[in-house]
Amino acid sequence: MGALVGLYLGWAQFPVESRNRSLSSLARLHRDEYSVMVAAGYAADRDAFAAIQRLERLGVADVSSHLRETTERIIATSSRDIRDIALLAQLADALGQATDAMQPFINAGPERA
Amino acid sequence: MRPADRRPQPAKTALRRADGYLSSWLFAFGLIAGLIFGIAFTRAHGPWRRGNAEPWQLHPHDRQHYMMAVALEYAHRGDLGRALDKLIALRPLGDPLSQLAEAACALGSRGYLGSAGGIPAIRSAVELYAAQGRAGCAEQLLPPLATEAPAAAQATRAGTEIRPTPLPTKPPLQAARLATPTPRYRPALPDQRSFELLSLRSFCDLRRPALIEVYVVDYLGRGIPGQRIRARWGDEEDIFVSGLKTERGDAYADFQMDEGIDYAISMASGADALGATLSAGPCYTENRQTLKSYRVTFVER
C-alpha cells in the first residue's frame, strides 16, 4: 500500500519536472508544432532531406508516414491554422506522401492559403 | 477479591495483544518503506506518460534544435512575435534571443553546419537575433553567403551531422619544412583574373585554431577553383590554391598559421595584400583558450 501511495504521489500529485526530455517525448500538441516549424523551414530552404533529418529527431520510425498521418489528422480535426496545414501538406507532397485530403492545401500554397 | 478475579487472564487474549502490537509496527514500517520506494521509483524512472513533455523540459541539446526550428519558421513567416512566443515557451534563464544566439553558437561549433540544412538554420537564427540587436559567435562560423550553396549541397549528399574537421589544405609550416615536398596543383592556364577583398572576419574555434580560410568567388558568388593565394610572412611566402578540398566547395582554401607570426594574404594574380596583417593571437571559446582564425573572401572584379 505504501508503494502504491508513493507511486501515486510521484506520478500524479508531484510528478518529476525533468529538463532532460527529448524531442520524441514531446506532447502531441508540441510535436505537431515542431512538425509545422520544420515544414516552414522546408518552405524557406526547399531542402527536403534536411526536413527529414529534422523530423527524425521526433523519434519516429518512418518520417514520411508520420508526416502523412499528422497532416491528415490535423486536416480531419481542423486543429491548426490553414496556413500550417498548407505547410505540412506541401512538405508531405515533397516526400511523396500527398493524399487527396491534402490536395486543396497543396494547390493553395502557404502564401495563398 | 473474589476467587474468580484471582484467576490468570486467558493466554489467548495475551497472544492477541502481542500480535496486534507487532502488526501495527510492521504495517507502519512497510507503509513508510513502500512510500519511499514508490517516490524513489517515480523519480528514477521519470513520468508515467512519456509523451507529455513541454518544450521547456527539453534536454539542452534538443532545445537547441527546437530553437533552430523556431528560427527556420521565422525565416519563412517573418513573424517575430510568434518566434518570440515559442522561444519564451522554452522558459529560458535569460533573454530568449541571447539564448538563441548561444544555441546557434553551440550548434555551429559542434559541426551542425556540416549537416543537412545546418547552414540555413544557423543563418535563420543569426538573422533573427541580429535583427533584434543581439550577437553571438554563429555569424563568424557561417561561410560567406555566396559559397553556401555548394557547401550545403555537398553536406546534404553526405548526410551526416558530425564529421571530423578536414585537415588543412596545407600542413602547418613547421611540418611543411620537414616534410618531403609533394607535387603542387598547377592551373592549366595562366591566371589572368583579378580579385578584390570582399570580407575579412576573425573567428574562434577549438577545432580550427590558427587557420586562414579563404573563399574565392566570382561576381555571382560561385566558387572559383584553382585560384592561387599568396601568404607572406617575414621574407618568406607560400602559395595555396582554392578548390583542392572538394568537400568544402570550389571556393575554399586554407592556410595554417604559426603562433606569433604576422601574415599578409593576397591573391597571387595581383590583388593587393590585405591592409591588416593576420596573426594567430589567443582567443576564448567554450571556456577554453585557443588561437584566433580568419575567414577571408576574395571576389572577382
Side-chain angles (χ1 to χ4, degrees):
Chain A
M1 187 193 294
L4 289 177
V5 171
L7 292 175
Y8 169 75
L9 290 175
W11 273 332
Q13 286 299 111
F14 310 105
V16 61
E17 293 192 337
S18 166
R19 281 182 176 255
N20 204 24
R21 311 286 290 277
S22 65
L23 281 167
S24 62
S25 66
L26 282 176
R28 176 189 276 184
L29 173 70
H30 302 296
R31 290 165 68 88
D32 290 351
E33 187 69 54
Y34 180 80
S35 298
V36 169
M37 290 192 288
V38 170
Y42 168 73
D45 63 16
R46 294 289 163 186
D47 188 343
F49 186 74
I52 290 173
Q53 288 213 320
R54 289 172 188 135
L55 287 175
E56 280 177 345
R57 299 187 186 283
L58 289 174
V60 291
D62 184 347
V63 167
S64 299
S65 300
H66 161 78
L67 185 65
R68 186 187 65 242
E69 290 163 8
T70 300
T71 308
E72 287 187 330
R73 173 173 50 78
I74 289 174
I75 291 172
T77 57
S78 302
S79 55
R80 293 197 69 93
D81 183 81
I82 193 170
R83 285 169 294 188
D84 295 349
I85 298 175
L87 291 171
L88 289 169
Q90 292 212 326
L91 178 55
D93 185 39
L95 301 185
Q97 298 294 320
T99 62
D100 290 343
M102 300 179 200
Q103 285 305 326
F105 302 98
I106 296 169
N107 297 334
E111 283 78 22
R112 284 169 284 165
Chain B
M1 186 176 284
R2 291 180 300 175
D5 295 335
R6 289 198 298 266
R7 281 183 296 185
Q9 293 293 321
K12 191 177 178 181
T13 307
L15 275 175
R16 193 178 296 144
R17 275 184 192 158
D19 281 351
Y21 177 76
L22 194 62
S23 303
S24 300
W25 188 86
L26 278 177
F27 177 77
F29 176 79
L31 194 67
I32 293 170
L35 204 61
I36 292 171
F37 166 78
I39 292 175
F41 184 84
T42 58
R43 272 14 187 194
H45 287 257
W48 171 253
R49 290 174 58 227
R50 296 281 177 183
N52 65 344
E54 302 276 332
W56 64 268
Q57 293 181 293
L58 289 174
H59 182 276
H61 185 251
D62 282 1
R63 174 186 294 252
Q64 290 165 354
H65 286 286
Y66 191 90
M67 287 181 175
M68 292 305 109
V70 172
L72 280 166
E73 187 186 33
Y74 170 77
H76 175 66
R77 296 184 194 266
D79 189 340
L80 178 63
R82 186 182 179 113
L84 280 176
D85 284 345
K86 291 181 178 178
L87 292 176
I88 291 169
L90 289 169
R91 299 187 190 176
L93 297 176
D95 172 34
L97 290 167
S98 298
Q99 299 278 307
L100 175 66
E102 289 179 16
C105 180
L107 279 174
S109 302
R110 280 205 307 266
Y112 180 72
L113 288 169
S115 69
I119 292 175
I122 296 283
R123 198 177 294 286
S124 301
V126 169
E127 286 173 2
L128 173 53
Y129 68 70
Q132 304 306 314
R134 310 308 194 280
C137 80
E139 48 267 49
Q140 296 174 344
L141 300 175
L142 282 169
L145 190 59
T147 55
E148 177 179 315
Q154 284 162 2
T156 301
R157 284 194 291 275
T160 53
E161 176 176 341
I162 298 173
R163 59 171 66 177
T165 304
L167 294 172
T169 308
K170 293 188 63 63
L173 293 174
Q174 196 168 6
R177 291 186 197 110
L178 300 174
T180 306
T182 52
R184 294 279 182 88
Y185 176 91
R186 299 291 184 200
L189 297 171
D191 194 350
Q192 300 299 326
R193 292 174 158 178
S194 62
F195 297 87
E196 61 186 357
L197 177 67
L198 180 65
S199 68
L200 165 64
R201 287 185 291 182
S202 65
F203 63 96
C204 194
D205 191 327
L206 293 174
R207 285 166 293 278
R208 292 179 293 171
L211 196 66
I212 299 175
E213 294 184 352
V214 178
Y215 293 85
V216 185
V217 298
D218 66 11
Y219 65 100
L220 290 176
R222 298 171 298 197
I224 307 176
Q227 298 306 307
R228 297 188 304 150
I229 303 129
R230 179 182 290 115
R232 289 197 180 108
W233 66 100
D235 55 354
E236 297 181 67
E237 72 171 41
D238 203 349
I239 299 288
F240 54 109
V241 180
S242 64
L244 293 186
K245 284 184 156 181
T246 54
E247 74 275 13
R248 299 296 299 265
D250 289 341
Y252 183 81
D254 56 24
F255 181 85
Q256 189 69 52
M257 294 185 285
D258 278 345
E259 187 176 7
I261 297 178
D262 293 336
Y263 295 89
I265 298 294
S266 63
M267 295 299 295
S269 56
D272 293 337
L274 303 181
T277 54
L278 311 181
S279 62
C283 65
Y284 297 86
T285 182
E286 300 173 27
N287 295 326
R288 291 172 61 187
Q289 180 177 331
T290 184
L291 294 173
K292 192 187 297 182
S293 296
Y294 296 89
R295 187 168 293 130
V296 183
T297 303
F298 289 103
V299 63
E300 186 178 18
R301 281 175 176 151

